[in-house]
């Protein structure tokens, strides 16, 4: 009898120690937030006539024709373009030079005393190779605007982690085509101090509400693999998370979102902004990627703004990453407002 009582006591202790959760029913553990604080990013100075702007290729190769056309466009704006020393090189058939050459151009642009902004020529792939090549302090020694999207999401994450705002915006691969489109002109105006306050039409997948936080994120298949690295700006609290993607299956998008969920990123969000999901698959019966994501977001109770024209579509309106923002999602539409210095002006995205 004594042995049986002792066995029962041991079992009871084990149950208390490990909890009563059964297999397949594990409770979601919310990471402690006491030690997390919101990002505090400084705002680089806006550009003025005569300022130097560096053009670099930190990811895939860009034809020099695109780079020289972009340089001509910048001159027409009254700016002075400087092309990175290694721009035009090719490595492994795709990369814009070796890792060392691309890091060299990035460091050159960051440390150049006269460069006031950096515009990336193209995304593609390869910036993940560069995450540990520069100390975070190098990004913040001389705060300057860095512009790009897609794979450049990695560099924007590094910039925000260092405490500097950046711009999720168009690059030479599009700027070289025309230069008079809304995507390019709004980015130009932002660099010059014209800060947009976006007004958006209603979207069927929106979740109503109002929230303020710091805008981070970008291309989800680029920033989700960076969790825990120096390029992970989602480690902070009070996030307004921006997500866009191109030519990915729904199941891979679902996978990336689950990675964010399991790492506690969604717990740190105050709201979500969904951009475009250009050419993404529809192998499930969801009406859209937004509707699939909406099912994940609903339990959190934060507002979700869908349909922002940012990403890989024909229109890619600029966003200030690392900036404090407010999103107001209503039945009749939504607004996205940046709380930064500059001359505020309204931009109705339905007109672009």
């Amino acid at each position: 009898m004594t042995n049986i009582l002792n066995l029962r006591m041991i079992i009871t202790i084990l149950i208390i120690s490990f909890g009563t959760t059964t297999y397949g029913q594990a409770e979601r553990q919310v990471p402690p937030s006491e030690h997390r604080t919101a990002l505090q990013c400084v705002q680089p100075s806006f550009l003025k006539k005569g300022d130097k702007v560096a053009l670099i290729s930190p990811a895939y190769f860009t034809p020099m024709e695109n780079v020289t056309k972009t340089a001509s466009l910048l001159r027409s704006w009254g700016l002075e373009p400087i092309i990175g020393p290694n721009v035009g090189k090719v490595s492994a058939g795709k990369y814009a030079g070796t890792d060392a050459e691309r890091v060299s151009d990035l460091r050159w642009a960051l440390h150049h005393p006269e460069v006031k902004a950096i515009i990336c020529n193209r995304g593609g792939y390869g910036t993940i190779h560069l995450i540990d090549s520069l100390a975070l302090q190098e990004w913040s020694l001389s705060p300057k605007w860095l512009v790009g999207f897609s794979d450049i999401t990695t560099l924007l994450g590094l910039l925000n982690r260092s405490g500097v705002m950046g711009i999720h915006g168009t690059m030479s691969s599009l700027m070289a085509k025309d230069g008079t489109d809304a995507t390019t002109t709004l980015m130009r105006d932002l660099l010059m101090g014209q800060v947009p306050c976006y007004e958006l039409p209603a979207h069927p997948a929106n979740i109503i509400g109002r929230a303020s936080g710091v805008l981070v994120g970008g291309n989800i298949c680029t920033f989700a693999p960076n969790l825990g690295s120096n390029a992970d700006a989602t480690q902070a609290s009070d996030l307004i998370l921006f997500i866009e993607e191109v030519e990915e299956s729904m199941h891979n998008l679902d996978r990336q979102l689950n990675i964010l969920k399991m790492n506690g990123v969604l717990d740190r969000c105050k709201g979500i902004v969904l951009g475009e999901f250009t050419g993404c698959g529809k192998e499930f019966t969801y009406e859209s990627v937004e509707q699939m994501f909406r099912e994940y977001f609903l339990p959190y109770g934060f507002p979700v703004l869908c349909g922002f024209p940012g990403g890989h579509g024909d229109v890619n309106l600029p966003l200030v990453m690392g900036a404090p923002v407010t999103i107001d999602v209503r039945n009749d539409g939504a607004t996205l407002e940046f709380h930064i210095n500059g001359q505020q002006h309204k931009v109705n995205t339905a007109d672009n």
Side-chain angles (χ1 to χ4, degrees), residues 161-182:
R161 276 294 306 280
S162 77
V164 180
M165 297 180 195
I167 297 176
H168 183 281
T170 191
M171 300 179 284
S172 293
S173 50
L174 177 63
M175 293 170 67
K177 292 182 179 179
D178 184 358
T180 62
D181 56 282

Side-chain angles (χ1 to χ4, degrees), residues 38-119:
L39 282 171
Q40 300 287 332
C41 294
V42 300
Q43 178 182 338
S45 299
F46 289 121
L47 302 185
K48 60 184 185 298
K49 296 291 179 70
D51 279 346
K52 291 182 171 61
V53 177
L55 295 173
I56 63 171
S57 299
Y60 272 1
F61 166 80
T62 308
M64 281 303 298
E65 180 184 5
N66 289 348
V67 180
T68 55
K69 284 183 177 179
T70 300
S72 296
L73 179 64
L74 293 176
R75 290 190 193 97
S76 74
W77 296 351
L79 302 171
E80 184 179 338
I82 309 176
I83 298 173
N86 290 299
V87 170
K89 293 184 178 180
V90 184
S91 176
K94 283 282 190 179
Y95 298 119
T98 63
D99 289 355
E101 287 168 336
R102 289 181 285 125
V103 166
S104 176
D105 275 9
L106 185 54
R107 180 173 279 117
W108 162 81
L110 288 171
H111 289 267
H112 197 300
E114 297 181 18
V115 166
K116 303 303 179 184
I118 304 166
I119 296 178

Side-chain angles (χ1 to χ4, degrees), residues 81-155:
I82 309 176
I83 298 173
N86 290 299
V87 170
K89 293 184 178 180
V90 184
S91 176
K94 283 282 190 179
Y95 298 119
T98 63
D99 289 355
E101 287 168 336
R102 289 181 285 125
V103 166
S104 176
D105 275 9
L106 185 54
R107 180 173 279 117
W108 162 81
L110 288 171
H111 289 267
H112 197 300
E114 297 181 18
V115 166
K116 303 303 179 184
I118 304 166
I119 296 178
C120 298
N121 292 318
R122 185 187 172 186
Y125 180 71
T127 56
I128 195 170
H129 298 171
L130 314 183
I131 289 176
D132 294 327
S133 298
L134 285 86
L136 286 177
Q137 293 87 338
E138 293 188 70
W139 294 86
S140 58
L141 283 175
S142 177
K144 55 192 71 177
W145 295 109
L146 183 139
V147 183
F149 72 106
S150 190
D151 199 56
I152 307 304
T153 294
T154 298
L155 303 189

